[in-house]
PDB file of all heavy atoms in Angstrom:
ATOM      1  N   THR A 976       4.777  -4.974  39.275  1.00 83.00           N
ATOM      2  CA  THR A 976       3.329  -4.749  39.295  1.00 83.00           C
ATOM      3  C   THR A 976       2.650  -5.318  38.058  1.00 83.00           C
ATOM      4  O   THR A 976       1.416  -5.332  38.015  1.00 83.00           O
ATOM      5  CB  THR A 976       3.006  -3.243  39.364  1.00 83.00           C
ATOM      6  OG1 THR A 976       3.460  -2.637  38.157  1.00 83.00           O
ATOM      7  CG2 THR A 976       3.735  -2.586  40.503  1.00 83.00           C
ATOM      8  N   LEU A 977       3.405  -5.816  37.075  1.00 85.00           N
ATOM      9  CA  LEU A 977       2.845  -6.177  35.737  1.00 85.00           C
ATOM     10  C   LEU A 977       1.922  -7.408  35.920  1.00 85.00           C
ATOM     11  O   LEU A 977       0.811  -7.431  35.328  1.00 85.00           O
ATOM     12  CB  LEU A 977       3.971  -6.469  34.811  1.00 85.00           C
ATOM     13  CG  LEU A 977       3.493  -6.848  33.385  1.00 85.00           C
ATOM     14  CD1 LEU A 977       2.714  -5.698  32.767  1.00 85.00           C
ATOM     15  CD2 LEU A 977       4.730  -7.113  32.531  1.00 85.00           C
ATOM     16  N   ARG A 978       2.318  -8.385  36.647  1.00 85.00           N
ATOM     17  CA  ARG A 978       1.520  -9.586  36.763  1.00 85.00           C
ATOM     18  C   ARG A 978       0.123  -9.335  37.316  1.00 85.00           C
ATOM     19  O   ARG A 978      -0.838  -9.986  36.935  1.00 85.00           O
ATOM     20  CB  ARG A 978       2.256 -10.622  37.615  1.00 85.00           C
ATOM     21  CG  ARG A 978       1.749 -12.054  37.445  1.00 85.00           C
ATOM     22  CD  ARG A 978       2.260 -13.008  38.536  1.00 85.00           C
ATOM     23  NE  ARG A 978       3.698 -12.923  38.711  1.00 85.00           N
ATOM     24  CZ  ARG A 978       4.589 -13.891  38.266  1.00 85.00           C
ATOM     25  NH1 ARG A 978       4.083 -14.932  37.656  1.00 85.00           N
ATOM     26  NH2 ARG A 978       5.855 -13.751  38.510  1.00 85.00           N
ATOM     27  N   LYS A 979       0.019  -8.355  38.221  1.00 85.00           N
ATOM     28  CA  LYS A 979      -1.224  -8.063  38.860  1.00 85.00           C
ATOM     29  C   LYS A 979      -2.257  -7.441  37.904  1.00 85.00           C
ATOM     30  O   LYS A 979      -3.464  -7.399  38.180  1.00 85.00           O
ATOM     31  CB  LYS A 979      -1.034  -7.115  40.043  1.00 85.00           C
ATOM     32  CG  LYS A 979      -0.109  -7.676  41.116  1.00 85.00           C
ATOM     33  CD  LYS A 979       0.172  -6.615  42.189  1.00 85.00           C
ATOM     34  CE  LYS A 979       1.208  -7.122  43.177  1.00 85.00           C
ATOM     35  NZ  LYS A 979       1.522  -6.027  44.192  1.00 85.00           N
ATOM     36  N   SER A 980      -1.791  -6.898  36.802  1.00 89.00           N
ATOM     37  CA  SER A 980      -2.647  -6.191  35.918  1.00 89.00           C
ATOM     38  C   SER A 980      -3.417  -7.048  34.921  1.00 89.00           C
ATOM     39  O   SER A 980      -4.306  -6.618  34.230  1.00 89.00           O
ATOM     40  CB  SER A 980      -1.828  -5.144  35.104  1.00 89.00           C
ATOM     41  OG  SER A 980      -0.914  -5.773  34.240  1.00 89.00           O
ATOM     42  N   LEU A 981      -3.025  -8.352  34.788  1.00 93.00           N
ATOM     43  CA  LEU A 981      -3.604  -9.214  33.792  1.00 93.00           C
ATOM     44  C   LEU A 981      -4.204 -10.467  34.497  1.00 93.00           C
ATOM     45  O   LEU A 981      -3.660 -10.983  35.462  1.00 93.00           O
ATOM     46  CB  LEU A 981      -2.591  -9.655  32.763  1.00 93.00           C
ATOM     47  CG  LEU A 981      -1.944  -8.549  31.961  1.00 93.00           C
ATOM     48  CD1 LEU A 981      -0.842  -9.078  31.074  1.00 93.00           C
ATOM     49  CD2 LEU A 981      -2.991  -7.849  31.089  1.00 93.00           C
ATOM     50  N   THR A 982      -5.352 -10.930  33.978  1.00 93.00           N
ATOM     51  CA  THR A 982      -5.981 -12.144  34.490  1.00 93.00           C
ATOM     52  C   THR A 982      -6.100 -13.156  33.339  1.00 93.00           C
ATOM     53  O   THR A 982      -5.830 -12.855  32.180  1.00 93.00           O
ATOM     54  CB  THR A 982      -7.379 -11.801  35.000  1.00 93.00           C
ATOM     55  OG1 THR A 982      -8.212 -11.314  33.951  1.00 93.00           O
ATOM     56  CG2 THR A 982      -7.313 -10.812  36.135  1.00 93.00           C
ATOM     57  N   LYS A 983      -6.493 -14.397  33.699  1.00 95.00           N
ATOM     58  CA  LYS A 983      -6.681 -15.446  32.738  1.00 95.00           C
ATOM     59  C   LYS A 983      -5.448 -15.682  31.846  1.00 95.00           C
ATOM     60  O   LYS A 983      -5.548 -15.789  30.646  1.00 95.00           O
ATOM     61  CB  LYS A 983      -7.901 -15.183  31.835  1.00 95.00           C
ATOM     62  CG  LYS A 983      -9.214 -15.029  32.632  1.00 95.00           C
ATOM     63  CD  LYS A 983     -10.339 -14.703  31.670  1.00 95.00           C
ATOM     64  CE  LYS A 983     -11.605 -14.487  32.494  1.00 95.00           C
ATOM     65  NZ  LYS A 983     -12.806 -14.103  31.613  1.00 95.00           N
ATOM     66  N   LEU A 984      -4.258 -15.689  32.458  1.00 96.00           N
ATOM     67  CA  LEU A 984      -3.033 -15.828  31.743  1.00 96.00           C
ATOM     68  C   LEU A 984      -2.948 -17.188  31.037  1.00 96.00           C
ATOM     69  O   LEU A 984      -3.367 -18.205  31.617  1.00 96.00           O
ATOM     70  CB  LEU A 984      -1.867 -15.623  32.680  1.00 96.00           C
ATOM     71  CG  LEU A 984      -1.640 -14.208  33.236  1.00 96.00           C
ATOM     72  CD1 LEU A 984      -0.554 -14.240  34.324  1.00 96.00           C
ATOM     73  CD2 LEU A 984      -1.265 -13.260  32.097  1.00 96.00           C
ATOM     74  N   ARG A 985      -2.400 -17.176  29.832  1.00 96.00           N
ATOM     75  CA  ARG A 985      -2.217 -18.429  29.060  1.00 96.00           C
ATOM     76  C   ARG A 985      -0.974 -18.229  28.170  1.00 96.00           C
ATOM     77  O   ARG A 985      -0.624 -17.098  27.763  1.00 96.00           O
ATOM     78  CB  ARG A 985      -3.398 -18.845  28.262  1.00 96.00           C
ATOM     79  CG  ARG A 985      -3.898 -17.805  27.256  1.00 96.00           C
ATOM     80  CD  ARG A 985      -4.999 -16.916  27.846  1.00 96.00           C
ATOM     81  NE  ARG A 985      -5.575 -16.044  26.833  1.00 96.00           N
ATOM     82  CZ  ARG A 985      -6.338 -14.935  27.159  1.00 96.00           C
ATOM     83  NH1 ARG A 985      -6.608 -14.689  28.400  1.00 96.00           N
ATOM     84  NH2 ARG A 985      -6.863 -14.229  26.195  1.00 96.00           N
ATOM     85  N   THR A 986      -0.302 -19.325  27.877  1.00 96.00           N
ATOM     86  CA  THR A 986       0.900 -19.360  27.057  1.00 96.00           C
ATOM     87  C   THR A 986       0.575 -19.947  25.664  1.00 96.00           C
ATOM     88  O   THR A 986       0.002 -21.005  25.566  1.00 96.00           O
ATOM     89  CB  THR A 986       1.998 -20.188  27.708  1.00 96.00           C
ATOM     90  OG1 THR A 986       2.238 -19.741  28.996  1.00 96.00           O
ATOM     91  CG2 THR A 986       3.301 -20.006  26.895  1.00 96.00           C
ATOM     92  N   GLY A 987       0.966 -19.230  24.631  1.00 95.00           N
ATOM     93  CA  GLY A 987       0.712 -19.728  23.268  1.00 95.00           C
ATOM     94  C   GLY A 987       1.925 -20.379  22.639  1.00 95.00           C
ATOM     95  O   GLY A 987       2.960 -20.594  23.348  1.00 95.00           O
ATOM     96  N   GLN A 988       1.827 -20.710  21.403  1.00 93.00           N
ATOM     97  CA  GLN A 988       2.934 -21.351  20.706  1.00 93.00           C
ATOM     98  C   GLN A 988       4.079 -20.382  20.429  1.00 93.00           C
ATOM     99  O   GLN A 988       3.858 -19.158  20.418  1.00 93.00           O
ATOM    100  CB  GLN A 988       2.446 -21.940  19.357  1.00 93.00           C
ATOM    101  CG  GLN A 988       1.418 -23.058  19.501  1.00 93.00           C
ATOM    102  CD  GLN A 988       2.006 -24.333  20.062  1.00 93.00           C
ATOM    103  OE1 GLN A 988       3.227 -24.445  20.214  1.00 93.00           O
ATOM    104  NE2 GLN A 988       1.176 -25.325  20.384  1.00 93.00           N
ATOM    105  N   ILE A 989       5.246 -20.874  20.190  1.00 93.00           N
ATOM    106  CA  ILE A 989       6.398 -20.044  19.846  1.00 93.00           C
ATOM    107  C   ILE A 989       6.145 -19.406  18.519  1.00 93.00           C
ATOM    108  O   ILE A 989       5.598 -20.025  17.566  1.00 93.00           O
ATOM    109  CB  ILE A 989       7.687 -20.879  19.797  1.00 93.00           C
ATOM    110  CG1 ILE A 989       8.077 -21.315  21.208  1.00 93.00           C
ATOM    111  CG2 ILE A 989       8.795 -20.111  19.123  1.00 93.00           C
ATOM    112  CD1 ILE A 989       9.307 -22.181  21.248  1.00 93.00           C
ATOM    113  N   GLN A 990       6.450 -18.098  18.409  1.00 91.00           N
ATOM    114  CA  GLN A 990       6.268 -17.330  17.167  1.00 91.00           C
ATOM    115  C   GLN A 990       7.623 -16.781  16.674  1.00 91.00           C
ATOM    116  O   GLN A 990       8.569 -16.698  17.494  1.00 91.00           O
ATOM    117  CB  GLN A 990       5.274 -16.208  17.399  1.00 91.00           C
ATOM    118  CG  GLN A 990       3.916 -16.558  17.790  1.00 91.00           C
ATOM    119  CD  GLN A 990       3.070 -17.013  16.626  1.00 91.00           C
ATOM    120  OE1 GLN A 990       3.243 -16.576  15.505  1.00 91.00           O
ATOM    121  NE2 GLN A 990       2.145 -17.919  16.886  1.00 91.00           N
ATOM    122  N   LEU A 991       7.675 -16.443  15.404  1.00 90.00           N
ATOM    123  CA  LEU A 991       8.862 -15.772  14.863  1.00 90.00           C
ATOM    124  C   LEU A 991       8.526 -14.316  14.584  1.00 90.00           C
ATOM    125  O   LEU A 991       7.544 -14.009  13.952  1.00 90.00           O
ATOM    126  CB  LEU A 991       9.325 -16.427  13.589  1.00 90.00           C
ATOM    127  CG  LEU A 991      10.027 -17.827  13.714  1.00 90.00           C
ATOM    128  CD1 LEU A 991      10.350 -18.354  12.328  1.00 90.00           C
ATOM    129  CD2 LEU A 991      11.265 -17.731  14.573  1.00 90.00           C
ATOM    130  N   LEU A 992       9.406 -13.429  15.028  1.00 90.00           N
ATOM    131  CA  LEU A 992       9.270 -11.996  14.661  1.00 90.00           C
ATOM    132  C   LEU A 992       9.944 -11.756  13.290  1.00 90.00           C
ATOM    133  O   LEU A 992      10.524 -12.694  12.713  1.00 90.00           O
ATOM    134  CB  LEU A 992       9.873 -11.113  15.755  1.00 90.00           C
ATOM    135  CG  LEU A 992       9.211 -11.165  17.129  1.00 90.00           C
ATOM    136  CD1 LEU A 992       9.835 -10.141  18.056  1.00 90.00           C
ATOM    137  CD2 LEU A 992       7.681 -10.916  17.015  1.00 90.00           C
ATOM    138  N   GLU A 993       9.898 -10.537  12.863  1.00 86.00           N
ATOM    139  CA  GLU A 993      10.405 -10.191  11.531  1.00 86.00           C
ATOM    140  C   GLU A 993      11.916 -10.498  11.407  1.00 86.00           C
ATOM    141  O   GLU A 993      12.392 -10.781  10.293  1.00 86.00           O
ATOM    142  CB  GLU A 993      10.151  -8.738  11.201  1.00 86.00           C
ATOM    143  CG  GLU A 993       8.696  -8.375  11.052  1.00 86.00           C
ATOM    144  CD  GLU A 993       8.017  -8.156  12.421  1.00 86.00           C
ATOM    145  OE1 GLU A 993       8.709  -8.210  13.444  1.00 86.00           O
ATOM    146  OE2 GLU A 993       6.798  -7.930  12.422  1.00 86.00           O
ATOM    147  N   ASP A 994      12.649 -10.431  12.497  1.00 87.00           N
ATOM    148  CA  ASP A 994      14.076 -10.719  12.491  1.00 87.00           C
ATOM    149  C   ASP A 994      14.392 -12.196  12.754  1.00 87.00           C
ATOM    150  O   ASP A 994      15.507 -12.558  13.036  1.00 87.00           O
ATOM    151  CB  ASP A 994      14.816  -9.812  13.451  1.00 87.00           C
ATOM    152  CG  ASP A 994      14.311  -9.971  14.899  1.00 87.00           C
ATOM    153  OD1 ASP A 994      13.369 -10.809  15.139  1.00 87.00           O
ATOM    154  OD2 ASP A 994      14.802  -9.260  15.764  1.00 87.00           O
ATOM    155  N   ASP A 995      13.354 -13.006  12.681  1.00 85.00           N
ATOM    156  CA  ASP A 995      13.468 -14.467  12.861  1.00 85.00           C
ATOM    157  C   ASP A 995      13.829 -14.841  14.345  1.00 85.00           C
ATOM    158  O   ASP A 995      14.258 -15.976  14.591  1.00 85.00           O
ATOM    159  CB  ASP A 995      14.473 -15.122  11.960  1.00 85.00           C
ATOM    160  CG  ASP A 995      13.964 -15.061  10.492  1.00 85.00           C
ATOM    161  OD1 ASP A 995      12.747 -15.134  10.288  1.00 85.00           O
ATOM    162  OD2 ASP A 995      14.810 -15.024   9.586  1.00 85.00           O
ATOM    163  N   ARG A 996      13.647 -13.903  15.269  1.00 90.00           N
ATOM    164  CA  ARG A 996      13.859 -14.227  16.679  1.00 90.00           C
ATOM    165  C   ARG A 996      12.638 -14.938  17.179  1.00 90.00           C
ATOM    166  O   ARG A 996      11.482 -14.553  16.924  1.00 90.00           O
ATOM    167  CB  ARG A 996      14.102 -12.974  17.497  1.00 90.00           C
ATOM    168  CG  ARG A 996      15.384 -12.230  17.136  1.00 90.00           C
ATOM    169  CD  ARG A 996      16.606 -12.865  17.689  1.00 90.00           C
ATOM    170  NE  ARG A 996      16.685 -12.822  19.131  1.00 90.00           N
ATOM    171  CZ  ARG A 996      17.741 -13.165  19.838  1.00 90.00           C
ATOM    172  NH1 ARG A 996      18.809 -13.637  19.232  1.00 90.00           N
ATOM    173  NH2 ARG A 996      17.721 -13.100  21.152  1.00 90.00           N
ATOM    174  N   GLU A 997      12.867 -16.015  17.983  1.00 94.00           N
ATOM    175  CA  GLU A 997      11.740 -16.741  18.574  1.00 94.00           C
ATOM    176  C   GLU A 997      11.248 -16.051  19.809  1.00 94.00           C
ATOM    177  O   GLU A 997      12.009 -15.574  20.636  1.00 94.00           O
ATOM    178  CB  GLU A 997      12.167 -18.149  18.955  1.00 94.00           C
ATOM    179  CG  GLU A 997      12.408 -19.134  17.788  1.00 94.00           C
ATOM    180  CD  GLU A 997      12.581 -20.552  18.261  1.00 94.00           C
ATOM    181  OE1 GLU A 997      12.744 -20.773  19.476  1.00 94.00           O
ATOM    182  OE2 GLU A 997      12.642 -21.464  17.370  1.00 94.00           O
ATOM    183  N   VAL A 998       9.912 -15.946  19.906  1.00 95.00           N
ATOM    184  CA  VAL A 998       9.301 -15.357  21.077  1.00 95.00           C
ATOM    185  C   VAL A 998       8.181 -16.290  21.564  1.00 95.00           C
ATOM    186  O   VAL A 998       7.554 -16.992  20.781  1.00 95.00           O
ATOM    187  CB  VAL A 998       8.732 -13.968  20.789  1.00 95.00           C
ATOM    188  CG1 VAL A 998       9.807 -12.925  20.544  1.00 95.00           C
ATOM    189  CG2 VAL A 998       7.768 -13.962  19.590  1.00 95.00           C
ATOM    190  N   LEU A 999       7.966 -16.234  22.852  1.00 95.00           N
ATOM    191  CA  LEU A 999       6.849 -17.024  23.468  1.00 95.00           C
ATOM    192  C   LEU A 999       5.752 -16.059  23.843  1.00 95.00           C
ATOM    193  O   LEU A 999       6.041 -14.984  24.475  1.00 95.00           O
ATOM    194  CB  LEU A 999       7.419 -17.791  24.704  1.00 95.00           C
ATOM    195  CG  LEU A 999       6.605 -18.975  25.158  1.00 95.00           C
ATOM    196  CD1 LEU A 999       6.385 -20.006  24.046  1.00 95.00           C
ATOM    197  CD2 LEU A 999       7.272 -19.651  26.352  1.00 95.00           C
ATOM    198  N   GLN A1000       4.562 -16.392  23.529  1.00 95.00           N
ATOM    199  CA  GLN A1000       3.379 -15.542  23.811  1.00 95.00           C
ATOM    200  C   GLN A1000       2.856 -15.848  25.187  1.00 95.00           C
ATOM    201  O   GLN A1000       2.556 -16.983  25.534  1.00 95.00           O
ATOM    202  CB  GLN A1000       2.276 -15.794  22.797  1.00 95.00           C
ATOM    203  CG  GLN A1000       2.618 -15.655  21.336  1.00 95.00           C
ATOM    204  CD  GLN A1000       1.453 -15.998  20.468  1.00 95.00           C
ATOM    205  OE1 GLN A1000       0.545 -15.181  20.334  1.00 95.00           O
ATOM    206  NE2 GLN A1000       1.476 -17.171  19.893  1.00 95.00           N
ATOM    207  N   VAL A1001       2.659 -14.777  25.979  1.00 96.00           N
ATOM    208  CA  VAL A1001       1.886 -14.854  27.183  1.00 96.00           C
ATOM    209  C   VAL A1001       0.747 -13.822  27.061  1.00 96.00           C
ATOM    210  O   VAL A1001       1.034 -12.663  26.888  1.00 96.00           O
ATOM    211  CB  VAL A1001       2.746 -14.581  28.464  1.00 96.00           C
ATOM    212  CG1 VAL A1001       1.856 -14.501  29.700  1.00 96.00           C
ATOM    213  CG2 VAL A1001       3.815 -15.605  28.603  1.00 96.00           C
ATOM    214  N   GLN A1002      -0.455 -14.306  27.136  1.00 96.00           N
ATOM    215  CA  GLN A1002      -1.626 -13.459  26.897  1.00 96.00           C
ATOM    216  C   GLN A1002      -2.521 -13.416  28.129  1.00 96.00           C
ATOM    217  O   GLN A1002      -2.627 -14.370  28.859  1.00 96.00           O
ATOM    218  CB  GLN A1002      -2.404 -13.985  25.718  1.00 96.00           C
ATOM    219  CG  GLN A1002      -3.499 -13.028  25.226  1.00 96.00           C
ATOM    220  CD  GLN A1002      -4.183 -13.535  23.969  1.00 96.00           C
ATOM    221  OE1 GLN A1002      -5.118 -14.273  24.030  1.00 96.00           O
ATOM    222  NE2 GLN A1002      -3.646 -13.158  22.826  1.00 96.00           N
ATOM    223  N   GLY A1003      -3.093 -12.214  28.325  1.00 96.00           N
ATOM    224  CA  GLY A1003      -4.037 -12.059  29.464  1.00 96.00           C
ATOM    225  C   GLY A1003      -5.018 -11.028  29.134  1.00 96.00           C
ATOM    226  O   GLY A1003      -4.995 -10.387  28.080  1.00 96.00           O
ATOM    227  N   ASN A1004      -5.939 -10.758  30.058  1.00 95.00           N
ATOM    228  CA  ASN A1004      -6.999  -9.797  29.843  1.00 95.00           C
ATOM    229  C   ASN A1004      -6.984  -8.774  30.978  1.00 95.00           C
ATOM    230  O   ASN A1004      -6.679  -9.114  32.143  1.00 95.00           O
ATOM    231  CB  ASN A1004      -8.355 -10.430  29.781  1.00 95.00           C
ATOM    232  CG  ASN A1004      -8.461 -11.363  28.589  1.00 95.00           C
ATOM    233  OD1 ASN A1004      -8.324 -12.571  28.701  1.00 95.00           O
ATOM    234  ND2 ASN A1004      -8.756 -10.803  27.416  1.00 95.00           N
ATOM    235  N   THR A1005      -7.360  -7.554  30.661  1.00 94.00           N
ATOM    236  CA  THR A1005      -7.434  -6.482  31.695  1.00 94.00           C
ATOM    237  C   THR A1005      -8.802  -6.530  32.346  1.00 94.00           C
ATOM    238  O   THR A1005      -9.713  -7.251  31.937  1.00 94.00           O
ATOM    239  CB  THR A1005      -7.205  -5.147  31.063  1.00 94.00           C
ATOM    240  OG1 THR A1005      -8.276  -4.805  30.167  1.00 94.00           O
ATOM    241  CG2 THR A1005      -5.892  -5.106  30.271  1.00 94.00           C
ATOM    242  N   ALA A1006      -8.963  -5.658  33.363  1.00 91.00           N
ATOM    243  CA  ALA A1006     -10.206  -5.619  34.119  1.00 91.00           C
ATOM    244  C   ALA A1006     -11.413  -5.298  33.231  1.00 91.00           C
ATOM    245  O   ALA A1006     -12.532  -5.801  33.411  1.00 91.00           O
ATOM    246  CB  ALA A1006     -10.073  -4.587  35.234  1.00 91.00           C
ATOM    247  N   ASN A1007     -11.209  -4.471  32.167  1.00 91.00           N
ATOM    248  CA  ASN A1007     -12.322  -4.072  31.338  1.00 91.00           C
ATOM    249  C   ASN A1007     -12.398  -4.898  30.051  1.00 91.00           C
ATOM    250  O   ASN A1007     -13.142  -4.591  29.111  1.00 91.00           O
ATOM    251  CB  ASN A1007     -12.148  -2.587  30.917  1.00 91.00           C
ATOM    252  CG  ASN A1007     -12.515  -1.666  32.035  1.00 91.00           C
ATOM    253  OD1 ASN A1007     -13.624  -1.757  32.603  1.00 91.00           O
ATOM    254  ND2 ASN A1007     -11.611  -0.788  32.424  1.00 91.00           N
ATOM    255  N   GLY A1008     -11.619  -6.006  29.969  1.00 91.00           N
ATOM    256  CA  GLY A1008     -11.759  -6.907  28.867  1.00 91.00           C
ATOM    257  C   GLY A1008     -10.800  -6.749  27.688  1.00 91.00           C
ATOM    258  O   GLY A1008     -10.927  -7.501  26.704  1.00 91.00           O
ATOM    259  N   ALA A1009      -9.883  -5.785  27.769  1.00 93.00           N
ATOM    260  CA  ALA A1009      -8.870  -5.649  26.707  1.00 93.00           C
ATOM    261  C   ALA A1009      -7.982  -6.882  26.719  1.00 93.00           C
ATOM    262  O   ALA A1009      -7.702  -7.489  27.731  1.00 93.00           O
ATOM    263  CB  ALA A1009      -8.065  -4.403  26.856  1.00 93.00           C
ATOM    264  N   THR A1010      -7.456  -7.227  25.537  1.00 95.00           N
ATOM    265  CA  THR A1010      -6.547  -8.385  25.402  1.00 95.00           C
ATOM    266  C   THR A1010      -5.126  -7.883  25.194  1.00 95.00           C
ATOM    267  O   THR A1010      -4.869  -7.060  24.376  1.00 95.00           O
ATOM    268  CB  THR A1010      -6.998  -9.282  24.213  1.00 95.00           C
ATOM    269  OG1 THR A1010      -8.286  -9.744  24.428  1.00 95.00           O
ATOM    270  CG2 THR A1010      -6.043 -10.438  24.077  1.00 95.00           C
ATOM    271  N   VAL A1011      -4.191  -8.418  26.022  1.00 96.00           N
ATOM    272  CA  VAL A1011      -2.794  -7.984  26.028  1.00 96.00           C
ATOM    273  C   VAL A1011      -1.934  -9.218  25.780  1.00 96.00           C
ATOM    274  O   VAL A1011      -2.080 -10.205  26.463  1.00 96.00           O
ATOM    275  CB  VAL A1011      -2.381  -7.279  27.242  1.00 96.00           C
ATOM    276  CG1 VAL A1011      -0.892  -6.887  27.199  1.00 96.00           C
ATOM    277  CG2 VAL A1011      -3.224  -6.035  27.495  1.00 96.00           C
ATOM    278  N   THR A1012      -1.026  -9.200  24.802  1.00 97.00           N
ATOM    279  CA  THR A1012      -0.115 -10.278  24.539  1.00 97.00           C
ATOM    280  C   THR A1012       1.326  -9.819  24.708  1.00 97.00           C
ATOM    281  O   THR A1012       1.748  -8.775  24.104  1.00 97.00           O
ATOM    282  CB  THR A1012      -0.253 -10.797  23.110  1.00 97.00           C
ATOM    283  OG1 THR A1012      -1.655 -11.156  22.859  1.00 97.00           O
ATOM    284  CG2 THR A1012       0.599 -12.066  22.845  1.00 97.00           C
ATOM    285  N   LEU A1013       2.048 -10.465  25.582  1.00 97.00           N
ATOM    286  CA  LEU A1013       3.473 -10.201  25.795  1.00 97.00           C
ATOM    287  C   LEU A1013       4.272 -11.197  25.050  1.00 97.00           C
ATOM    288  O   LEU A1013       4.103 -12.419  25.115  1.00 97.00           O
ATOM    289  CB  LEU A1013       3.816 -10.311  27.313  1.00 97.00           C
ATOM    290  CG  LEU A1013       2.952  -9.508  28.252  1.00 97.00           C
ATOM    291  CD1 LEU A1013       3.315  -9.826  29.702  1.00 97.00           C
ATOM    292  CD2 LEU A1013       3.080  -8.008  27.997  1.00 97.00           C
ATOM    293  N   LEU A1014       5.198 -10.716  24.148  1.00 97.00           N
ATOM    294  CA  LEU A1014       6.055 -11.566  23.362  1.00 97.00           C
ATOM    295  C   LEU A1014       7.450 -11.536  23.910  1.00 97.00           C
ATOM    296  O   LEU A1014       8.164 -10.544  23.766  1.00 97.00           O
ATOM    297  CB  LEU A1014       5.980 -11.068  21.872  1.00 97.00           C
ATOM    298  CG  LEU A1014       4.580 -11.024  21.287  1.00 97.00           C
ATOM    299  CD1 LEU A1014       4.634 -10.426  19.863  1.00 97.00           C
ATOM    300  CD2 LEU A1014       3.939 -12.377  21.264  1.00 97.00           C
TER     301      LEU A1014
END
Side-chain angles (χ1 to χ4, degrees):
T976 66
L977 183 60
R978 198 193 307 255
K979 302 174 184 177
S980 65
L981 299 174
T982 61
K983 302 178 182 177
L984 291 171
R985 56 267 186 194
T986 307
Q988 296 290 352
I989 290 177
Q990 298 281 330
L991 287 177
L992 296 185
E993 294 81 5
D994 57 2
D995 290 331
R996 295 283 293 189
E997 286 189 354
V998 290
L999 201 56
Q1000 305 177 76
V1001 174
Q1002 190 175 88
N1004 297 99
T1005 68
N1007 286 305
T1010 299
V1011 179
T1012 306
L1013 307 175
L1014 304 176

